[in-house]
Amino acid sequence: MTTSAKRDRETVNLRSRAYESFTRRLLADEIRPGQFISQRELVELTELPLGAIRELIPRLEAEGLVKTVPQRGMQVAHVDLNLIRDAFQFRLFLEREAVAVFAQEAPEATIRALLDDHERIVAACTEAEADGAGGGIPPDLLKEAQDIDWALHLTIIDTLGNAIISDAYRVNQIKIRLIKQSKTKLNTAVLAPTMREHLAIIHATLARDPDQAKAAISTHILSARDRAIGLR
């Protein structure tokens, strides 16, 4: 490998690390929606060089994660009604078509693995509520349920085998996660209806019924959107 090629690869790696570090801190609430942040602050947060941060900013702006405000600097995306509407509409369009393909083409083993994960979480939550004497569902179980939640949607999207769609979906998923952190974190009250909605999607795909799968995922996404807006 030439010196120039090696340098180019190192630059790409730094950009990728800067992006991953930014999004990780954003989703961990170390960087807050609506916050103004400087390049120097991003250097300190990510522990990466200024050059990598400067190359990161155009990507964040293109993805709608930050914007430059004249005479104020960079501002992280707000969680507002417009973001909620746009992010959930984008998600609905992609997932409705993806789940129809998933229902027809996904390996049965993949679908049954999703079913097993969800049934296990539902059973564990039922047991925890019965044994908890009003204490609710343990945080570690809620975290596991959240991971299973994200995994279902990513599995449906990635089954398309389309890198452009998968990449665009993941950018939008960051916005959806910001919305959920601000508005509707998965909690004891939300967990049961969410799992029921997921099971309806999974059973429709297991039955190889794309129309029913599209209807079930539409119900699920619109319910999540309405919770974020405050209608549920």
Side-chain angles (χ1 to χ4, degrees), residues 27-38:
L27 296 175
D29 261 358
E30 295 175 29
I31 301 172
R32 304 299 301 276
Q35 174 184 342
F36 281 91
I37 191 164
S38 69

Side-chain angles (χ1 to χ4, degrees), residues 95-111 114 155-156 159-160 201-214:
E95 291 197 45
R96 272 177 54 86
E97 298 310 312
V99 81
V101 175
F102 187 79
Q104 296 173 85
E105 299 182 3
E108 183 168 336
T110 299
I111 303 173
L114 292 169
T155 299
I156 290 169
T159 296
L160 292 172
I201 298 165
I202 294 167
H203 284 301
T205 61
L206 198 57
R208 303 300 183 181
D209 188 335
D211 290 336
Q212 186 57 39
K214 288 171 73 172

Side-chain angles (χ1 to χ4, degrees), residues 32 34-38 41 67 69 72-76 78:
R32 304 299 301 276
Q35 174 184 342
F36 281 91
I37 191 164
S38 69
E41 288 172 317
K67 66 178 179 179
V69 179
R72 295 289 303 277
M74 287 185 300
Q75 185 179 29
V76 180
H78 275 292

Side-chain angles (χ1 to χ4, degrees), residues 61-121:
E61 288 180 323
E63 293 182 356
L65 296 175
V66 302
K67 66 178 179 179
T68 299
V69 179
Q71 301 180 346
R72 295 289 303 277
M74 287 185 300
Q75 185 179 29
V76 180
H78 275 292
V79 174
D80 57 16
L81 187 59
N82 286 335
L83 180 64
I84 294 170
R85 182 197 62 208
D86 293 351
F88 276 98
Q89 185 179 59
F90 184 87
R91 182 183 177 189
L92 182 64
F93 283 1
L94 283 188
E95 291 197 45
R96 272 177 54 86
E97 298 310 312
V99 81
V101 175
F102 187 79
Q104 296 173 85
E105 299 182 3
E108 183 168 336
T110 299
I111 303 173
R112 289 201 176 276
L114 292 169
L115 179 62
D116 290 346
D117 284 342
H118 281 75
E119 288 182 337
R120 177 171 52 78
I121 288 294

